[in-house]
C-alpha cells in the first residue's frame, strides 16, 4: 500500500483526484503502477487501476494477470472492478471505501458477482485512514471549506 499511496500523492501534482494503484505479482514485486490521469491525459478511462493494469500487462507480456494483486487506495468503480475481473487478478486490496461509486462492496459488488466466471479475493480497509485523508484534503481544497 505504500507504493499505491505514493502514486496517489503524485496525482496531486496534476490536479487529478489522488488515487494510486499498483499491481504486484505472486512474489510481491511491483509489476505495474498507476495514478489517476483523467485530468492530465484528458482520458475518461485514466483511472489509477486501469493505468496500473495496463502497465502490468505490458511488463508481463499478457493480459492475464493470474497470481497478481491489485492494490489501490480507493475502492474501485464499476469500470475498474470489471477490469480486475477480466484481468483474472487473484486479489483486490483497497484502502478507503467509496460509498458514491464503489463497486467492490459499497454500492455494487462486481468482483464477487457469482454470474461472472472469475471472482478475485477482496481485502478492504487497508490503511483507509491515510487514503481518506488524501481525498478529504484534495476535495476540501477544491470545494473550499464549508461548501458541499
Amino acid at each position: 500500500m505504500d507504493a499505491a499511496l505514493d502514486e496517489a500523492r503524485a496525482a496531486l501534482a496534476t490536479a487529478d483526484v489522488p488515487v494510486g494503484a499498483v499491481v504486484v505479482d505472486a512474489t510481491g514485486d511491483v509489476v505495474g503502477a498507476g495514478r489517476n490521469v483523467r485530468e492530465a491525459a484528458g482520458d475518461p478511462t485514466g483511472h489509477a487501476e486501469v493505468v496500473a493494469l495496463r502497465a502490468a500487462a505490458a511488463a508481463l507480456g499478457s493480459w492475464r494477470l493470474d497470481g497478481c494483486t491489485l492494490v489501490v487506495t480507493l475502492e474501485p468503480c464499476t469500470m475498474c472492478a470489471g477490469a480486475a475481473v477480466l484481468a483474472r487478478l487473484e486479489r483486490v486490496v483497497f484502502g478507503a471505501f467509496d460509498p458514491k461509486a464503489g463497486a467492490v462492496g459499497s454500492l455494487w459488488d462486481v468482483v464477487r458477482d457469482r454470474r461472472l466466471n472469475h471472482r478475485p479475493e477482496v481485502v478492504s480497509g487497508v490503511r483507509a485512514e491515510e487514503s481518506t485523508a488524501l481525498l478529504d484534503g484534495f476535495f476540501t481544497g477544491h470545494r473550499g471549506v464549508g461548501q458541499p
Side-chain angles (χ1 to χ4, degrees), residues 37-39 41-47 50 79:
V37 294
R38 289 188 310 170
E39 298 297 332
D43 180 359
T45 68
H47 290 208
V50 171
M79 174 181 69

Side-chain angles (χ1 to χ4, degrees), residues 26-144:
T27 66
D29 292 331
V30 174
V31 293
R35 64 186 71 107
N36 274 3
V37 294
R38 289 188 310 170
E39 298 297 332
D43 180 359
T45 68
H47 290 208
E49 301 94 324
V50 171
V51 174
L53 290 171
R54 287 177 180 156
L60 297 174
S62 175
W63 63 268
R64 289 180 181 269
L65 300 179
D66 298 314
C68 291
T69 298
L70 172 67
V71 181
V72 59
T73 58
L74 180 65
E75 179 183 0
C77 69
T78 53
M79 174 181 69
C80 296
V85 170
L86 294 173
R88 308 297 195 267
L89 289 170
E90 182 173 325
R91 182 177 305 104
V92 174
V93 175
F94 69 88
F97 284 88
D98 185 354
K100 293 182 179 180
V104 185
S106 287
L107 195 55
W108 296 284
D109 200 352
V110 171
V111 298
R112 290 179 281 225
D113 190 319
R114 295 213 174 269
R115 296 169 292 181
L116 299 175
N117 64 341
H118 180 75
R119 288 177 297 282
E121 173 190 356
V122 174
V123 179
S124 59
V126 177
R127 296 177 67 182
E129 297 81 16
E130 292 169 76
S131 299
T132 300
L134 274 172
L135 292 163
D136 286 349
F138 174 82
F139 286 114
T140 298
H142 276 74
R143 292 184 188 132

